[in-house]
């Protein structure tokens, strides 16, 4: 049963359990997709029904930010653990490499997915990078066709929210892949274009502050975090 935070249902899993489920979806027939909402995405889902449906229809809904863990705890329905998308992706690739599975990287600015692909292939020997494409395409059909032709088992879809969730819900099946994962800015991190917050910051739930210091233009987006907590408090009072 999923744990609901402001209309988004989260799977209550540890990181290991989430990766195990990801691998099992990869090996099941048909297309599946995983999403990793943080408070900002939950706020988007409150206002955008199509985004909310795309998120809730995912086969795996993993709590990316510490804010989600806090929110679930405030509502009296705690989640086992934070499952950051980027760490989920790293562990999934480790397992995929062991099994010789293939991965397509979709998203980010031109050149970034390709650079990420080179680094990931070095880091996870055995992992096949079946192709890459930037995230600023105008037509879906050629991109879907390229993924299909590559024979990818898995696709990392990094187009930002809610674009990536809507894209996976609509086109996942047509790509022929068994698992698609919506991973936001992860390709920028894998390529070394942006830096992930050092462990101290993420251990203390301050990854958002680190990102804000590095890129003050994110302030508008970051304001969604206190708003999220206000909405959780309201929901708690109505319970
Ligand atoms: N992006 C994209 N196509 C678009 C809009 C965004 O490929 O039309 C990419 C963008 O270049 C970045 C990622 O999507 O690599 C979104 O990153 P963001 O930092 O917003 O994601 P977060 O990790 O905060 O969810």
């Amino acid at each position: 049963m999923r744990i609901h935070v402001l209309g988004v249902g989260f799977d209550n899993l540890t990181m290991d359990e989430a990766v195990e489920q990801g691998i099992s979806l990869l090996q099941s027939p048909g297309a599946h997709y995983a999403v990793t909402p943080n408070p900002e995405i939950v706020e988007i889902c409150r206002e955008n029904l199509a985004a909310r449906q795309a998120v809730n229809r995912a086969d795996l809904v993993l709590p990316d930010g510490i804010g989600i863990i806090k929110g679930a705890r405030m509502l009296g329905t705690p989640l086992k653990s934070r499952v950051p998308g980027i760490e989920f992706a790293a562990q999934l690739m480790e397992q995929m490499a062991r099994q010789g599975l293939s991965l397509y990287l979709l998203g980010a600015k031109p050149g970034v997915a390709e650079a990420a692909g080179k680094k990931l292939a070095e880091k996870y020997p055995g992992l096949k990078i079946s192709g890459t494409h930037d995230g600023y395409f105008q037509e879906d059909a050629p991109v879907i066709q390229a993924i299909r032709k590559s024979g990818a088992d898995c696709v990392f879809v990094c187009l930002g929210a809610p674009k990536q969730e809507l894209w996976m819900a609509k086109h996942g099946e047509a790509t022929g892949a068994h698992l698609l994962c919506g991973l936001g800015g992860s390709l920028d991190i894998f390529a070394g274009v942006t830096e992930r917050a050092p462990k101290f910051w993420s251990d203390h739930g301050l990854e958002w502050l680190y990102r804000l210091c590095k890129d003050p233009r994110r302030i508008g987006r970051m304001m969604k975090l206190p708003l999220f907590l206000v909405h959780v408090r309201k929901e708690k009072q109505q319970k």
Side-chain angles (χ1 to χ4, degrees), residues 36 38 40-41 64 106-110 112 133-137 157-161 163-165 182-189 194 211 215 218 221-222:
T36 59
N38 56 20
E40 189 189 342
I41 300 181
D64 183 89
L106 173 63
K109 298 207 171 110
V112 174
H133 199 292
D134 69 82
Y136 295 86
F137 49 91
V157 183
C158 303
L159 305 173
K163 193 171 174 184
Q164 61 203 8
E165 288 77 13
L183 293 168
S186 300
L187 292 182
D188 297 304
I189 294 174
T194 40
R211 293 180 84 179
D215 184 3
R218 293 179 77 94
R221 293 175 57 175
M222 290 292 170

Side-chain angles (χ1 to χ4, degrees), residues 4 11 14 23 40 46 50 52-53 61 78 93 96 101 117 126 153-154 167 170-171 182 198 208 223 235 237:
H4 288 264
D11 288 303
T14 62
I23 290 293
E40 189 189 342
R46 284 186 74 245
R52 185 159 75 238
Q53 286 175 339
V61 184
M93 286 188 285
M96 285 176 62
L101 296 175
D153 298 296
C154 184
W167 201 90
K170 190 165 177 199
H171 303 298
W208 60 273
M223 289 316 288
E235 180 162 303
Q237 283 161 358

Side-chain angles (χ1 to χ4, degrees), residues 11-28 32 34-36 59-63 80-99 101 124 154 156 178-179 181 183:
D11 288 303
N12 191 15
L13 303 169
T14 62
M15 175 63 83
D16 286 350
E17 289 166 345
V19 174
E20 198 179 308
Q21 285 217 17
I23 290 293
S24 132
L25 291 171
L26 252 170
Q27 291 163 339
S28 315
H32 313 88
V35 295
T36 59
D59 299 272
L60 261 182
V61 184
L62 305 172
K80 282 187 203 169
S81 146
R82 198 163 74 97
V83 184
I86 188 127
E87 285 167 30
F88 169 74
Q91 296 207 20
L92 197 69
M93 286 188 285
E94 225 175 278
Q95 302 281 338
M96 285 176 62
R98 277 199 203 124
Q99 301 181 29
L101 296 175
Y124 302 101
C154 184
F156 287 175
H178 293 302
L179 180 65
C181 306
L183 293 168

Side-chain angles (χ1 to χ4, degrees), residues 189 194-202 205-216 218 222:
I189 294 174
T194 40
E195 219 186 308
R196 208 184 161 206
K199 200 170 172 313
F200 171 85
W201 296 73
S202 48
L206 293 172
E207 192 153 5
W208 60 273
L209 182 59
Y210 182 85
R211 293 180 84 179
L212 181 61
C213 294
K214 285 268 163 184
D215 184 3
R218 293 179 77 94
M222 290 292 170

